[in-house]
Amino acid sequence: MKVIEINGIEKTYDEKTVPVHAVNGIDLSFEQGEFVAIVGPSGSGKTTLLNIIGGLDKPNSGEIIISGTNIGALSSSKMIDFRLNNIGFVFQAYNLIPVLTAKENIEFIMDLQGRSKVEKDSRSLELLKSVGLNDRANSRPNKLSGGQQQRVAVARALASKPKFILADEPTANLDSKSTETLLEIMEKLNKEENITFIFSTHDARVVKKARRVITVEDGKVVSDEKC
Amino acid sequence: MINSIAWKNIWRNKLRSLVVIAAVTFGILAAVFSAALMNGMVERRLRSAIELETSHIQIHNPKYLENKDLYYFINNADSLVAEIKKMPEIKSASKRLKIMAMANTSSSGTGVMVNGIVPEKEKLVTGIYNKILDSSGTYFDGVKNNPVVIGQKLAEKLKIKVKSKVILTIQATDGTMVSGAFKVAGIFETSNSMFDELNIFARFSDLARLTSFDINNAHEIAILLNDTKLSDDFALKISRQFSTLDTMTWKEIQPDLGMTVEFLNIMLYFSLIIILLALGFGIVNTMLMVVLERVKELGILMAIGMNKARIFKMIMLETIYLSLTGGIAGLIFGIVLIQIFQYSGIDVSAYGEGFSDIGYDAIIYPSIGWDFYLGTVLLVILTGIIASIYPARKALKLNPAEAVRTEI
């Protein structure tokens, strides 16, 4: 089942002297349960592509259809609601709310969705268990290692029950052991719960785990390989 | 949960928040305490004016007010007083005979207002009897014939003391000038030196006998009500019932005092608003720094699905909590300070010798109503709301895609 369908998207940034074609006519589609790495050199357009898929940025042309909804046609406020209920995000380090505990960070997104206290409580504990941090539920981010913070971020991304998760360089600030643990958790969630993960990454360890690798250069897809 | 995040966020940079909170605390403390000083001063002046000088309401012959002539009196004043006393709003009422006179002693002389009163009834209306010090005689006791009670300032001017003789020269009802020898039974001292310098109190009967004035009549009926707030309504009631007479409230008798009281509330809030306005700019500055420091975090919140209304609410709540914490601390300190000085008072006689010349007590007893505290809290909240608008708008203008890549 197709989760995301991208048709001919282009994105140009109007720099002062020369316009930059960050994404230059990309067509892609993603199926439910895929574990995809988008790779490419710096400035190739992979983060812009991820932002467009996540509705954080709008393309100049083309369309992105997520589960039948053309997100390019949504207003900014409807897009925020759409993101809340359909897309999970994992960024590089430091993306948790520092004043909330690990559990509260996960509950927060469900709070935005208007879920009940009982549901928030049980699901946040369940998610913390699935990322192996049930014993750190009441720790604030500054008491967690970088790897643990990213695991909480994954749990938070899953809390809203999204259709897929976008992860922008999730291992960029992690040591190899933390990277390994994080990747194992995400791979497990992908296989056992059929959750779609799309990464943008430079990290060879992520690429190695991916079952589909899309290479982007100069805003174009130069290869799309299933492993 | 946004409420909890907003509250926790203000403690992320404790020093900065405490500096803002301290500024608001001292600002509110200063505003509340200075308001209490002003209010206490005016309240005391008002109480003193009503208790000692004007009462709540006075009734006169309309023509008497034009030139205070002996002939413009109220007929059958006793029956009028009796009728007024039956009204439920009344605490007490007393008739007065008022005549301008020359007061002379062996060494000095001056113009005075002689108030002919019935001492026992006047006691229920004015508190002059309370203003006679132990060493300054009594309220009409101890002197058998023609006792008078005079102000301290007048006593100094006439160079007389208790038991001294004073000659009052007055126009009698037949137009002739008559003189009477009176003896000082007591010397009073109020906070209004002008009042003390001008007024002599004599027994109604003594003055009426000297001037051949009919004891059934009077120049003035002074009325004390159960509550100052009733003054306007009761004056209207009296003026309708006794339409041939002139009824005045304390505000009309002393318009300067009436105006001071009317404008006091505006002045109290005006100074509070100016202080809050100045503090507001500091709060805006702090919140702008907060927003600029948290660009990445705000971008992430927007990215994961926190909509603009919630972002706005979070920034607004942070600003309100910051302002309100300082505001409440300032109020608490202010209330404590007011409580400390409410009974002991603050003696400003060393700095304001002229206070009593304009009728104000040189000891200020700060006091302020709970409505002012409530108004202060509401204004602090309003300041927080207004101060949050600009920083919150800045936050809303962030592009989440760019914001999440910001490194601060």
Side-chain angles (χ1 to χ4, degrees):
Chain A
M1 189 179 76
K2 270 185 194 167
V3 183
I4 306 164
E5 197 172 342
I6 299 168
N7 298 319
I9 57 163
E10 288 184 15
K11 178 69 185 178
T12 305
Y13 291 110
D14 293 324
E15 297 295 334
K16 280 178 187 166
T17 49
V18 186
V20 176
H21 299 286
V23 174
N24 200 358
I26 288 181
D27 299 294
L28 280 172
S29 65
F30 298 91
E31 299 286 330
Q32 180 69 42
E34 283 196 292
F35 202 69
V36 188
I38 299 173
V39 297
S42 292
S44 59
K46 54 186 189 302
T47 297
T48 305
L49 176 61
L50 217 64
N51 284 343
I52 290 172
I53 296 171
L56 297 178
D57 223 341
K58 283 202 172 190
N60 298 111
S61 62
E63 59 179 17
I64 307 108
I65 295 160
I66 297 173
S67 301
T69 304
N70 181 358
I71 64 166
L74 296 176
S75 66
S76 64
S77 62
K78 283 197 173 156
M79 189 63 235
I80 291 174
D81 285 341
F82 187 84
R83 274 202 301 269
L84 174 64
N85 295 306
N86 296 280
I87 308 170
F89 284 92
V90 178
F91 299 96
Q92 287 184 31
Y94 318 118
N95 65 60
L96 298 176
I97 301 169
V99 294
L100 300 182
T101 63
K103 183 169 176 280
E104 286 168 341
N105 261 285
I106 298 165
E107 286 178 341
F108 177 65
I109 204 148
M110 292 186 275
D111 191 69
L112 295 177
Q113 288 179 311
R115 306 270 185 88
S116 71
K117 195 176 180 305
V118 177
E119 190 182 355
K120 284 190 290 184
D121 194 54
S122 64
R123 185 155 170 77
S124 59
L125 289 173
E126 180 191 317
L127 286 166
L128 276 168
K129 196 177 171 188
S130 70
V131 296
L133 288 172
N134 41 333
D135 58 334
R136 305 307 301 270
N138 296 318
S139 300
R140 285 201 179 180
N142 61 353
K143 300 287 177 197
L144 299 173
S145 69
Q148 288 172 326
Q149 286 186 45
Q150 282 302 63
R151 279 146 69 187
V152 176
V154 170
R156 182 182 67 183
L158 289 167
S160 62
K161 296 183 179 169
K163 296 200 164 57
F164 57 92
I165 287 176
L166 298 174
D168 186 12
E169 310 264 9
T171 58
N173 293 30
L174 303 184
D175 58 34
S176 48
K177 193 173 174 228
S178 299
T179 299
E180 193 60 36
T181 311
L182 184 71
L183 285 172
E184 272 171 18
I185 287 166
M186 291 199 282
E187 197 176 23
K188 186 168 165 249
L189 288 165
N190 169 256
K191 282 181 180 164
E192 290 177 5
E193 298 185 30
N194 203 29
I195 294 162
T196 311
F197 280 88
I198 303 169
F199 306 92
S200 85
T201 187
H202 280 108
D203 193 332
R205 292 164 298 187
V206 179
V207 178
K208 200 175 154 191
K209 292 267 182 191
R211 293 201 301 279
R212 181 181 172 193
V213 178
I214 298 167
T215 308
V216 180
E217 274 179 32
D218 298 327
K220 290 180 179 174
V221 174
V222 293
S223 72
D224 185 351
E225 292 170 0
K226 293 202 172 173
C227 316
Chain B
M1 196 169 237
I2 290 173
N3 291 333
S4 154
I5 293 173
W7 173 251
K8 287 172 180 168
N9 274 341
I10 68 171
W11 302 110
R12 282 166 70 169
N13 189 328
K14 284 194 180 74
L15 180 64
R16 184 175 59 204
S17 294
L18 284 172
V19 167
V20 177
I21 288 167
V24 177
T25 301
F26 283 111
I28 296 298
L29 168 63
V32 167
F33 194 65
S34 60
L37 284 178
M38 273 198 281
N39 187 62
M41 208 163 87
V42 172
E43 234 177 32
R44 205 167 166 82
R45 168 74 191 114
L46 174 62
R47 201 181 314 141
S48 158
I50 288 170
E51 277 177 18
L52 305 173
E53 302 166 33
T54 64
S55 308
H56 287 120
I57 286 165
Q58 289 181 2
I59 300 174
H60 304 97
N61 181 317
K63 285 188 176 173
Y64 174 81
L65 295 171
E66 289 169 17
N67 57 9
K68 294 191 169 46
D69 199 308
L70 179 70
Y71 306 112
Y72 299 129
F73 48 78
I74 301 164
N75 280 313
N76 298 318
D78 282 330
S79 60
L80 194 61
V81 168
E83 201 173 333
I84 288 168
K85 276 183 168 176
K86 287 177 191 162
M87 295 177 179
E89 301 92 335
I90 296 288
K91 200 168 188 178
S92 194
S94 171
K95 66 172 185 177
R96 293 169 183 166
L97 196 167
K98 297 186 79 162
I99 311 173
M100 292 300 292
M102 272 300 292
N104 291 294
T105 61
S106 55
S107 55
S108 187
T110 186
V112 293
M113 170 61 77
V114 187
N115 299 270
I117 57 167
V118 182
E120 291 315 308
K121 289 181 179 169
E122 190 69 21
K123 261 186 167 179
L124 303 173
V125 178
T126 55
I128 293 293
Y129 68 97
N130 265 333
K131 298 292 171 181
I132 299 170
L133 298 176
D134 290 344
S135 57
S136 304
T138 61
Y139 191 64
F140 293 100
D141 294 332
V143 175
K144 215 170 180 182
N145 298 315
N146 291 348
V148 287
V149 172
I150 69 169
Q152 172 69 31
K153 199 85 176 175
L154 183 61
E156 285 168 16
K157 198 172 181 181
L158 294 174
K159 298 184 179 82
I160 52 174
K161 50 191 181 184
V162 176
K163 306 277 185 190
S164 294
K165 194 188 280 183
V166 59
I167 306 296
L168 296 178
T169 307
I170 312 172
Q171 187 189 3
T173 49
D174 61 2
T176 58
M177 296 304 287
V178 291
S179 293
F182 290 79
K183 202 176 241 186
V184 178
I187 298 171
F188 64 86
E189 186 176 12
T190 70
S191 56
N192 186 349
S193 60
M194 279 193 298
F195 180 81
D196 294 357
E197 192 174 345
L198 186 67
N199 285 283
I200 289 183
F201 291 86
R203 286 197 300 223
F204 193 102
S205 53
D206 295 341
L207 206 57
R209 193 174 55 251
L210 181 68
T211 57
S212 309
F213 193 83
D214 185 341
I215 56 164
N216 289 317
N217 301 332
H219 289 120
E220 183 173 285
I221 294 172
I223 300 169
L224 194 66
L225 302 173
N226 291 320
D227 189 343
T228 305
K229 288 175 191 155
L230 298 171
S231 302
D232 290 337
D233 291 342
F234 189 74
L236 197 66
K237 182 178 169 183
I238 289 281
S239 63
R240 280 181 185 153
Q241 199 164 339
F242 307 105
S243 56
T244 57
L245 298 173
D246 193 280
T247 309
M248 295 173 88
T249 64
W250 59 269
K251 287 181 208 167
E252 293 161 310
I253 301 161
Q254 292 209 358
D256 55 330
L257 189 59
M259 209 164 71
T260 306
V261 172
E262 294 286 328
F263 277 100
L264 182 68
N265 268 337
I266 298 169
M267 288 306 295
L268 298 184
Y269 281 103
F270 188 68
S271 55
L272 177 64
I273 287 167
I274 287 176
I275 288 172
L276 284 173
L277 193 66
L279 291 171
F281 283 104
I283 298 167
V284 170
N285 183 46
T286 303
M287 290 312 294
L288 270 178
M289 285 166 68
V290 165
V291 168
L292 290 174
E293 275 175 9
R294 298 207 326 239
V295 166
K296 185 183 174 77
E297 185 182 317
L298 291 167
I300 286 168
L301 290 173
M302 287 176 184
I304 64 172
M306 192 163 170
N307 62 28
K308 290 185 173 184
R310 284 176 169 137
I311 296 274
F312 196 93
K313 184 182 170 187
M314 186 178 74
I315 304 281
M316 185 175 277
L317 283 174
E318 280 183 43
T319 321
I320 291 171
Y321 289 154
L322 199 61
S323 319
L324 205 54
T325 306
I328 288 173
L331 272 183
I332 292 169
F333 285 125
I335 291 168
V336 169
L337 211 58
I338 291 166
Q339 291 297 320
I340 290 170
F341 289 108
Q342 196 166 30
Y343 301 105
S344 61
I346 299 169
D347 190 350
V348 293
S349 55
Y351 309 101
E353 286 175 4
F355 265 61
S356 62
D357 290 341
I358 54 168
Y360 287 88
D361 208 329
I363 297 174
I364 302 173
Y365 298 86
S367 91
I368 195 92
W370 288 100
D371 53 339
F372 184 77
Y373 297 134
L374 183 67
T376 304
V377 170
L378 293 177
L379 278 172
V380 168
I381 293 172
L382 187 66
T383 305
I385 291 171
I386 293 170
S388 70
I389 292 172
Y390 184 60
R393 277 174 61 88
K394 278 266 180 199
L396 295 186
K397 281 181 184 170
L398 292 173
N399 177 341
E402 288 171 12
V404 292
R405 287 200 295 272
T406 306
E407 293 300 336
I408 293 180

